Amino acid sequence: MPELVVTALLAPSRLSLKLLRAFMWSLVFSAALVAAAVYGCIAFTHVLCRPRRGCCGRPRSAPPACVSDPTLGEHCFLTLKSSGLRLHYVSAGRGNGPLMLFLHGFPENWFSWRYQLWEFQSRFHVVAVDLRGYGPSDAPRDVDCYTMDLLMTDIQDIILGLGYSRCILVAHDWGALIAWNFSIYYPSLVERMVIVSAAPMSVYQDYSIHHIGQFFRSNYVFLFQLPWLPEKLLSMSDFQILKTTLTHRKRGIPHLTPNELEAFLYDFSQPGGLTGPLNYYRNLFRNFPLEPQELATPTLLLWGEEDTYFEQGLVGAISSRFVPGRLEAHILPGVGHWIPQSNPGEMHEYMWAFLQDLLD
């Protein structure tokens, strides 16, 4: 068929897609402006209530001692083959079994996996990485350096760079978004997955369109689409919004100590420490609309019944995309979003049972 005819036939579809994307971006930026107004009021209220903290975050001069706990593992760096970026990771149990690779969420870092590093190093080589943009890992400034394709390539380079051909991928929140995609595009590198509190982006997209309440739960995502302003608001009153996120009595991490809180705030308080992590969000809508994808990697899914950020209905939506028999899902009653830190004992029981056949 002549190229001119093909172009003419595809023109209506291409135009429709462009109009759909333009409409989507108009909605996203409208929501971003509303979110900016709301979070701006919250941030300035914190400043008024705590005027001595001022309008900027206080840079921490040194990390807290808890991140140097030798029982957690050895601090190392790995230079990635594809990008040349240098990523920080903590490693323990080398030689004790298969590679178990942990991917953290926001606003966290490798330290969010401290309980799992202690628990599984006796039978696995456990590695908790600081993703690009976080902590001591390299942090490119450009938004385009945080696309999903590049993040997945990072995970491939980590697995191969550590000397493995497969891994057990354990991921939470933003790390889980990467893990879902990675299992689809690099299935040969993932033996099993343990996913905590996150849905694949295509599932989240379709579910949110039909459940408007999910948009309100994820309102911060729209704020993070804006340049520089989110960094400013999150840092005001010495990072009070982040402090509240992590320590709130109902929505935060129970029993988080001041030193453990500082293990997260230290990295974000460094110059440019928030920009890399927020650039993940600034790429969320890049490929909208997303096509439904079939999920086949054997996966343990853990979800908190009282998760503030994601509705329980997403668990059923995820299950509908799976090859039968490949998903084991558990909703933990009375539990929130931060399962690896709030309920490590329950998480470990499910994980040991899920992975037992690999150890026999």
Side-chain angles (χ1 to χ4, degrees):
M1 187 179 292
E3 184 177 346
L4 186 62
V5 175
V6 173
T7 302
L9 292 173
L10 292 177
S13 297
R14 288 172 174 168
L15 179 60
S16 298
L17 184 59
K18 287 182 179 180
L19 291 174
L20 178 61
R21 285 178 173 166
F23 177 67
M24 183 273 296
W25 278 111
S26 67
L27 291 179
V28 167
F29 280 107
S30 297
L33 294 176
V34 173
V38 172
Y39 279 92
C41 291
I42 294 171
F44 280 104
T45 299
H46 288 316
V47 172
L48 292 174
C49 292
R50 304 170 181 84
R52 291 185 178 180
R53 293 185 182 178
C55 292
C56 298
R58 172 179 59 84
R60 275 64 175 165
S61 59
C66 58
V67 301
S68 301
D69 184 346
T71 66
L72 289 171
E74 179 185 4
H75 291 257
C76 310
F77 285 87
L78 176 68
T79 300
L80 304 182
K81 179 180 178 181
S82 301
S83 64
L85 293 180
R86 193 166 172 261
L87 298 191
H88 168 257
Y89 66 94
V90 173
S91 167
R94 178 178 287 276
N96 289 347
L99 173 64
M100 182 180 285
L101 180 63
F102 296 95
L103 307 181
H104 63 79
F106 176 84
E108 299 174 288
N109 55 29
W110 73 269
F111 187 71
S112 61
W113 298 111
R114 57 196 177 280
Y115 296 110
Q116 290 70 45
L117 290 172
W118 279 319
E119 177 75 12
F120 293 101
Q121 62 181 267
S122 63
R123 300 298 301 274
F124 297 90
H125 178 198
V126 290
V127 173
V129 65
D130 273 327
L131 297 169
R132 66 162 68 189
Y134 283 83
S137 292
D138 285 348
R141 299 287 297 181
D142 195 333
V143 174
D144 290 339
C145 292
Y146 296 86
T147 64
M148 183 56 73
D149 288 345
L150 292 175
L151 298 174
M152 288 193 296
T153 301
D154 285 355
I155 307 308
Q156 177 193 34
D157 287 347
I158 292 168
I159 296 168
L160 300 180
L162 291 171
Y164 293 86
S165 59
R166 307 188 79 187
C167 78
I168 297 155
L169 202 53
V170 185
H172 172 247
D173 191 75
W174 239 109
L177 293 184
I178 302 170
W180 282 121
N181 263 44
F182 188 79
S183 71
I184 294 168
Y185 291 100
Y186 298 88
S188 64
L189 295 179
V190 186
E191 189 164 12
R192 300 280 178 90
M193 281 207 306
V194 179
I195 298 292
V196 187
S197 307
M201 287 195 293
S202 62
V203 173
Y204 178 84
Q205 168 196 274
D206 295 346
Y207 181 88
S208 298
I209 289 172
H210 298 96
H211 299 83
I212 193 66
Q214 182 56 58
F215 276 114
F216 290 102
R217 287 179 180 242
S218 305
N219 57 74
Y220 56 91
V221 169
F222 300 105
L223 169 68
F224 294 166
Q225 302 307 307
L226 300 174
W228 69 262
L229 182 61
E231 286 92 327
K232 180 63 177 176
L233 295 179
L234 292 183
S235 64
M236 290 176 70
S237 191
D238 196 31
F239 304 97
Q240 184 58 46
I241 289 179
L242 291 181
K243 289 178 180 178
T244 302
T245 299
L246 293 169
T247 64
H248 190 274
R249 184 172 59 85
K250 292 184 178 180
R251 300 189 301 271
I253 304 168
H255 314 300
L256 191 70
T257 69
N259 274 341
E260 290 170 339
L261 175 62
E262 286 299 313
F264 301 117
L265 295 182
Y266 170 77
D267 291 332
F268 296 128
S269 76
Q270 303 309 302
L274 282 167
T275 298
L278 293 180
N279 281 342
Y280 284 64
Y281 290 93
R282 291 170 177 139
N283 280 286
L284 265 179
F285 300 101
R286 176 182 289 258
N287 297 317
F288 178 89
L290 299 167
E291 293 294 325
Q293 295 165 311
E294 186 178 63
L295 304 168
T297 299
T299 300
L300 170 65
L301 176 64
L302 300 178
W303 206 273
E305 180 187 39
E306 298 182 4
D307 194 313
T308 308
Y309 304 102
F310 298 113
E311 293 184 356
Q312 272 190 58
L314 281 164
V315 176
I318 295 168
S319 301
S320 69
R321 298 281 181 86
F322 254 92
V323 170
R326 297 294 181 90
L327 176 68
E328 177 185 330
H330 299 277
I331 297 176
L332 279 57
V335 176
H337 181 70
W338 314 94
I339 293 172
Q341 299 184 72
S342 66
N343 297 81
E346 291 177 74
M347 179 175 175
H348 299 164
E349 287 183 18
Y350 284 119
M351 285 181 64
W352 281 120
F354 179 66
L355 300 171
Q356 186 59 50
D357 62 301
L358 297 181
L359 299 172
D360 292 341

